[in-house]
Amino acid sequence: MSRAKKILYILITSVLSYVWMIAMAYVTDYGITGIDAILPCLFALGCVVIWNTLKGILSGVYSKKDYWCAVPVSVVVSIAQVIGHLVDMDSKSVGNIGLFDVVCIPILLIFYMAVMLLLLGYIKSRTSDGRSARQRIDRHLFNRKYSYIVLVLIIILCYMPYYLTLFPGNMGKDTFESIDMCLNNIAWSNHHPVFYTLLMDAVIGLTSKVCSLTVSMGLFTLLQMILCACTYAYVVQRISAHIGDVWAILALLLYALHPVSAMFAMYLSKDVLFSCALVMLICAMWDVLVKESVRGWIRVDVFLLLTMLLRNNGIFIVVLLGIVLFIVFLKGSIKKSAKCGVHFMAAVAVFALFRLVTGAILDVNSSSFAESLSVPLQQVGYVIVNDGDSIAEADAEYLSRLMPFEDVERAFTLGYTDTYKFDAAFDDEYLNADKGAFMKTWVHMLPTHFDEYVKAYLAQTIGYWHYGETNTLCTEGVWEDNTVQVAGIDIIEKMTGVSFRTVISKLMLGMRKAPILCIFTSMAMQLYALIIYMSISVWMGNGKKEIICSLPLLLLWITVMIAAPASCLFRYMYPFFMMWPFIATLGTKGIFVKNE
């Protein structure tokens, strides 16, 4: 490279990196005028990425196929990052996109496309004849006779400080409502899956005569922790089989030492066991796709059923997954497609039968219609708060009857519908009496308030697509909602006089805020990682099985985006956190190791 060209490339790299730094400062609120240590770091990162990408472009490393893979992903991430910064939760409003926002999109796009091209170039170098993947050598570290039990015990041992500090468990409002159902203090309801509440009821029933309710819940938490540890240990073993012991050890460290893993293992909510079921479903699906067997399909059936039983959106995930797989298999084999259809329909039929029988025996009440209207209610509430005077008279009359406008303005919280729909002034009976009336009102307001509807939707779902949004991650439970005789006991403090609680809080805060580490708890980053993984699978031309196994996670995200009750609840997307090490090994097997 001549001196003149080198100077030119340095100039181009510096300018693009500086412009990207400014754009990132703007869309992430780092601040442009203030002195922030992260800004020079961004500039340095930009220089490294853009300089190496330019070298690859000029040397002809990248093909048209590479650009077709890089551009869509870069466009999605860039637009999401720009639009996300317009949402202001504190002021209960979403700003309009301006000229500088539009300018930032192509600037960010260039950088993210450069990152994607570097990644694709690296994959090419690993899979080329000159630098082929290494042959995997099985040391069977995690496949020995008692290795599974050892893995489970290691994970549980790492979780015990959290368990003993927050005994009898990490609880919240949903936990206490389920306990109230078990104690018949309130009527049983599908608001919390009946199957999960029945599991809790079984533990309470078996132990209530010999111990207090606090101890009973402690035992239930311990059982849930063991199930989580068993799931993690199984995934570690699968990773070892797919790509080797080194990656399996890294996965074990994530599962055993990451504080989020420990906190959610003892968080008493249906979301945790649902996540375990979805993880096991993906593993079972991979086995069936690689080699069909009766035993494999039985495992798929079991985890399909558990996915539906443990969370209310599970039925939608399973039905959509069944339709997609039926179509995919239909192109290859009618017999295989028919078999897939039968198994999925059988699982749905058993689920429907369970709902029918338990509904009759336990007299289970259906959830309020408001539970299905999180997004529409958020949109209507946003209009009332920000532009209530412009609502048509007939629509205003109905909505004010549902909840007086002054009460909506008091109770409305941007990105969180529960404060609105569960407020004492909200007339739930009026809503349930004529469900069609609300939907007619919502549809009638759509043309004239389309802009407000879009803004409200963006705020209601921001945590699931905009990087940087995290919630409290269930740090220490929500004991102020305790309606039963369950007492929190810090066993470590009682025994030693020293509490581990402050350490837990700092660890969780670090996982949310620390650079690099915060990626693990960003639902948007996990989504982008899944999109990149699926895009690369298509780019490599051999990712049919990998893409199919990724579908449950993608369908989970879609169902949350349709009916998210809160803008950023990590527990709704917890399967992403649990599953990405396994998904990653499926995609990198051909890059880092040769075929088995």
Side-chain angles (χ1 to χ4, degrees), residues 17 23 161 219 259 280 323 382 466:
S17 299
L219 292 174
M280 296 301 292
I323 293 172
Y382 186 86
H466 178 57

Side-chain angles (χ1 to χ4, degrees), residues 237-297:
Q237 281 195 324
R238 296 300 299 269
I239 291 173
S240 177
H242 278 291
I243 200 170
D245 291 336
V246 173
W247 293 92
I249 291 172
L250 293 176
L252 175 61
L253 292 175
L254 173 73
Y255 293 143
L257 300 182
H258 200 293
V260 167
S261 300
M263 293 299 288
F264 272 87
M266 55 177 295
Y267 180 59
L268 296 188
S269 168
K270 74 276 187 180
D271 304 283
V272 178
L273 293 184
F274 165 81
S275 300
C276 292
L278 200 65
V279 166
M280 296 301 292
L281 173 62
I282 293 174
C283 294
M285 285 175 54
W286 175 260
D287 292 338
V288 169
L289 291 169
V290 172
K291 183 180 179 180
E292 284 195 66
S293 67
V294 174
R295 183 179 178 182
W297 272 112

Side-chain angles (χ1 to χ4, degrees), residues 49-50 52-53 57 61-63 65-78 108-125 527-540:
V49 170
I50 294 172
N52 285 283
T53 306
I57 292 174
V61 171
Y62 309 116
S63 63
K65 185 180 179 181
D66 300 337
Y67 292 109
W68 279 111
C69 179
V71 170
V73 176
S74 306
V75 169
V76 170
V77 177
S78 302
L108 296 172
L109 189 150
I110 291 173
F111 176 79
Y112 293 126
M113 189 170 71
V115 173
M116 279 295 295
L117 289 174
L118 283 179
L119 179 59
L120 297 178
Y122 174 73
I123 294 173
K124 280 184 176 182
S125 70
L527 171 68
Y528 298 151
L530 183 67
I531 294 173
I532 292 171
Y533 161 74
M534 297 178 75
S535 301
I536 292 176
S537 296
V538 174
W539 173 78
M540 294 181 71

Side-chain angles (χ1 to χ4, degrees), residues 156 163 166-172 174-176 178-179 182 188 192-208 211-229 264-274 310 486:
I156 292 176
Y163 176 70
L166 301 176
F167 187 88
N170 194 11
M171 301 186 180
D174 291 356
T175 312
F176 298 123
S178 292
I179 296 173
C182 296
W188 284 65
H192 304 299
V194 172
F195 182 74
Y196 181 80
T197 307
L198 281 173
L199 294 177
M200 188 179 293
D201 185 55
V203 173
I204 293 174
L206 291 172
T207 60
S208 59
C211 58
S212 66
L213 183 58
T214 298
V215 176
S216 295
M217 294 312 301
L219 292 174
F220 183 79
T221 301
L222 183 61
L223 290 174
Q224 180 173 285
M225 285 174 57
I226 293 173
L227 289 175
C228 287
F264 272 87
M266 55 177 295
Y267 180 59
L268 296 188
S269 168
K270 74 276 187 180
D271 304 283
V272 178
L273 293 184
F274 165 81
L310 287 166
V486 177

Side-chain angles (χ1 to χ4, degrees), residues 294-315:
V294 174
R295 183 179 178 182
W297 272 112
I298 291 175
R299 291 177 62 243
V300 170
D301 293 337
V302 169
F303 293 117
L304 283 173
L305 182 59
L306 289 174
T307 297
M308 291 183 286
L309 290 174
L310 287 166
R311 204 157 79 182
N312 292 332
N313 63 334
I315 178 64

